[in-house]
Amino acid sequence: MSRSRQVVNPAAEQALDRLKEETAAELGLQDYGNRYKGAITSADNGRVGGHMVRKMIESYENTLSSGTTK
């Protein structure tokens, strides 16, 4: 199975980058966006991605519970 690294909605790319930076900072990974990702362990990179997904799911669940879905 191949993976696409393209953002589905290009307008959301900057918001995703901000979310990635915020999540990395919460996990104690300083200067995550400006670092070479090859120098960061795969476990740390995976942690950032996993926490991003949790935040996105939580945000969507909150949207569903407030009844403001599109």
Side-chain angles (χ1 to χ4, degrees):
M1 172 192 272
S2 65
R3 292 184 180 190
S4 172
R5 296 193 184 271
Q6 293 179 347
V7 177
V8 174
N9 181 354
E13 192 166 5
Q14 288 181 340
L16 288 171
D17 287 341
R18 282 192 309 271
L19 177 61
K20 188 184 306 179
E21 290 290 328
E22 175 186 308
T23 303
E26 289 174 4
L27 295 173
L29 300 171
Q30 310 314 1
D31 201 29
Y32 184 81
N34 296 327
R35 289 175 62 189
Y36 169 62
K37 299 305 182 269
I40 302 171
T41 67
S42 58
D44 283 341
N45 280 317
R47 242 179 245 108
V48 171
H51 278 76
M52 285 176 64
V53 170
R54 285 185 195 103
K55 285 181 173 190
M56 287 185 269
I57 291 171
E58 180 182 345
S59 174
Y60 188 70
E61 287 175 345
N62 290 336
T63 301
L64 286 175
S65 66
S66 67
T68 58
T69 60
K70 293 181 180 179

